[in-house]
Every structure is written in structure tokens, then in C-alpha cells.
């Protein structure tokens, strides 16, 4: 990383930080500059292999809602992390309108912030938005118009979502391109999001590291996880790799 310049200029500086141990959870929130409305919490799976082994990736799957964060902790995150951040922006004359993403570590001392993003998360969004019962357009309009406090944001009750990423051979070090995804269009009762695909001679072919994410909804996480994982078996392409344990921590909880 340092002498081999594996990460280019990003590897020139080394920052030593406190090691935060625990489970990682993402809480995204809609903001209109004043009001902050958290979405359902989700958990990403950053490592390439089952049981959180191997190198970090852009995310190999996610599930929502994530029961690892209880309602008290969620309230704490809303008040002490998200609202305080937006208030801090206000003090600096920054009107933050959009999606604020808090990546959190649930440590033994409570939730701590690992990172903020000013955008939706990936692959969290693919499992959060299918559970949104309200119209996303209305929510975003309310964010732009500063009327989020009067917006009633509802979520589909008694439903969970699990998304399993299908990556190409060699990911995350490299990616193989050009393999045909024969069964993508044959998937019913699932949402399949395209991340690294291209159209070649009317065929959908792989064109990147993370190729597709298969999302399934079900009242129980265990069922949604089985459905999403099975979809990966069906879609399959040469060199496809995916995790078989997405949502397992949520299921165990
Ligand atoms: N899930 C990580 C990210 O969107 O940055």
C-alpha cells in the first residue's frame, strides 16, 4: 500500500485512528435543512467472503431492517448523530438538503460514527427503498421545499428485504468482463439491480466487479435471504461469486 503505491496518491498519507469494534450498521436519513427523518436501518456486508473474511469490497449484500440496532439506539443516532450534524451545518451556514448517510459501528460504548456520506448507500439503498410505502418523489420534493416535517413517511410493515450481490471472477482485485447473464430477464418476484452490466448484441454481459444485486422481499429475513441467495444460483454466469450468509446476523438476532 505504501511502497507499492497500490492506492495511488490516496496512499501517500497514513491516518491512525481508534479501532472501533462491533457490528457495522448504516442509518440513512432524508434532510430538508432542518428536519431529519431516518430511513430503516440496514446492514452492508463489506468483505468478499462468507463469515466476513477476505478483503473489503464495495459491499457484497445488505438487508433491511437491521435488528442489531434497537429503537433506543436508533433514537440516539437520530438525535445525537444525524440531527446534531445538521444543526452543526446550520451553525456554519450550510443548508444540508438531501440524504445524509451515517456509517456506524455499534461498539460496547454505544453507536459511533465511522463515516458520513452525502448520498444514498450502495447496496443499502437497494434493500431500503423497496420497503418504502410512501412516494419517494414526494419526500424528495419536500426535502427541496423545506416541508419535510409535514410529510408522513411510511414503511411497509411486516416486510424485510435482502439483497445479494453477484460479483465477477477476481473481484475486488480485478474483474472479468463479457460473460453472458443468461437468466437475468427470467427472474420473477425479485428485483434485480444492474451495477456492472452492458448490452452486447442484445445480450446482457458482465462489465464490472459488482455485476448485479438480487433483492427479495419476505415477511421474515430468513425467507428473504433464502430467496435472494437462490436467485443468484439461477442468474449465474461464468466466474460468478456471491456470499451465502447475507443477513445471517440479523436472522440470528
Ligand atoms: N455501503 C457503503 C457505501 O455506500 O458507501
Amino acid at each position: 500500500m505504501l511502497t507499492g503505491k497500490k492506492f495511488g496518491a490516496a496512499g501517500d498519507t497514513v491516518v491512525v485512528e481508534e479501532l472501533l469494534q462491533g457490528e457495522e450498521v448504516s442509518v440513512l436519513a432524508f434532510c430538508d435543512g432542518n428536519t431529519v427523518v431516518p430511513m430503516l436501518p440496514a446492514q452492508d456486508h463489506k468483505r468478499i467472503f462468507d463469515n466476513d473474511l477476505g478483503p473489503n469490497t464495495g459491499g457484497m449484500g445488505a438487508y433491511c431492517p437491521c435488528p442489531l440496532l434497537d429503537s433506543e439506539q436508533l433514537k440516539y443516532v437520530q438525535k445525537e448523530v444525524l440531527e446534531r450534524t445538521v444543526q452543526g451545518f446550520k451553525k456554519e451556514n450550510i443548508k444540508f438538503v438531501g440524504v445524509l448517510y451515517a456509517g456506524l459501528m455499534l461498539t460496547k460504548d454505544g453507536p459511533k460514527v465511522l463515516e458520513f456520506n452525502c448520498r444514498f448507500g450502495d447496496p443499502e439503498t437497494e434493500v431500503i427503498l423497496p420497503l418504502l410505502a410512501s412516494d419517494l418523489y414526494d419526500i424528495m420534493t419536500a426535502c427541496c421545499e423545506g416541508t419535510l416535517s409535514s410529510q408522513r413517511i411510511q414503511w411497509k410493515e411486516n416486510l424485510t428485504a435482502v439483497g445479494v450481490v453477484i460479483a465477477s471472477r477476481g473481484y475486488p482485485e480485478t474483474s472479468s468482463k463479457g460473460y453472458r447473464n443468461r437468466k437475468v430477464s427470467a427472474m420473477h418476484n425479485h428485483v434485480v439491480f444492474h451495477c456492472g452490466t452492458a448490452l452486447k448484441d442484445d445480450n446482457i454481459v458482465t462489465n464490472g466487479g459488482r455485476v448485479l444485486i438480487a433483492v427479495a422481499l419476505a415477511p421474515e429475513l430468513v425467507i428473504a435471504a433464502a430467496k435472494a441467495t437462490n436467485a443468484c444460483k439461477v442468474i449465474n454466469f461464468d466466474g460468478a461469486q456471491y456470499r451465502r450468509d447475507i443477513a445471517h446476523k440479523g436472522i440470528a438476532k
Side-chain angles (χ1 to χ4, degrees):
M1 284 188 282
L2 297 175
T3 55
K5 296 236 172 261
K6 192 173 171 186
F7 300 124
D12 286 347
T13 309
V14 177
V15 180
V16 179
E17 296 182 318
E18 179 189 355
L19 171 68
L20 299 179
Q21 282 176 310
E23 282 303 324
E24 216 177 312
V25 176
S26 309
V27 181
L28 284 63
F30 296 110
C31 305
D32 70 355
N34 285 302
T35 302
V36 175
V37 181
M39 302 176 211
L40 296 176
Q43 186 174 47
D44 186 3
H45 297 61
K46 297 257 166 58
R47 305 292 187 130
I48 185 80
F49 301 127
D50 284 6
N51 301 314
D52 294 331
L53 296 174
N56 266 339
T57 68
M60 291 300 290
Y63 65 96
C64 181
C66 173
L68 304 180
L69 190 71
D70 63 31
S71 59
E72 279 310 302
Q73 286 172 315
L74 191 56
K75 268 188 220 152
Y76 172 86
V77 170
Q78 173 165 8
K79 218 165 156 282
E80 298 299 328
V81 175
L82 299 166
E83 286 176 357
R84 275 187 66 183
T85 302
V86 171
Q87 295 312 320
F89 284 148
K90 269 174 80 175
K91 276 195 202 141
E92 294 183 24
N93 288 324
I94 299 166
K95 187 176 177 195
F96 185 85
V97 176
V99 173
L100 183 62
Y101 164 134
L104 305 160
M105 189 65 92
L106 303 180
T107 74
K108 60 177 175 31
D109 302 321
K112 296 207 175 179
V113 175
L114 282 174
E115 61 167 352
F116 281 117
N117 290 308
C118 303
R119 57 165 172 81
F120 280 110
D122 174 31
E124 292 93 325
T125 307
E126 291 95 316
V127 290
I128 295 172
L129 290 188
L131 298 179
L132 183 64
S134 306
D135 191 323
L136 181 62
Y137 180 82
D138 292 341
I139 300 169
M140 293 187 132
T141 305
C143 288
C144 296
E145 293 175 350
T147 55
L148 195 58
S149 61
S150 56
Q151 194 73 25
R152 218 167 139 235
I153 299 182
Q154 289 181 301
W155 298 93
K156 293 175 190 166
E157 280 174 28
N158 304 321
L159 210 51
T160 69
V162 177
V164 180
V165 168
I166 316 176
S168 59
R169 181 186 287 124
Y171 181 75
E173 300 290 334
T174 57
S175 65
S176 51
K177 295 186 180 171
Y179 292 102
R180 238 175 108 179
N181 297 285
R182 288 189 183 77
K183 302 275 177 53
V184 182
S185 47
M187 294 309 302
H188 300 292
N189 302 318
H190 290 80
V191 189
V192 181
F193 292 94
H194 291 235
C195 323
T197 59
L199 258 188
K200 196 175 165 207
D201 304 328
D202 282 341
N203 291 315
I204 297 168
V205 297
T206 63
N207 192 38
R210 287 186 301 157
V211 179
L212 297 153
I213 171 163
V215 175
L217 308 188
E220 290 180 17
L221 264 183
V222 68
I223 308 285
K227 282 169 73 178
T229 310
N230 280 337
C232 299
K233 264 188 229 160
V234 176
I235 292 170
N236 218 358
F237 50 83
D238 198 12
Q241 48 169 338
Y242 55 92
R243 282 181 58 163
R244 273 96 174 147
D245 67 344
I246 303 298
H248 281 208
K249 286 179 193 150
I251 293 166
K253 178 83 177 176

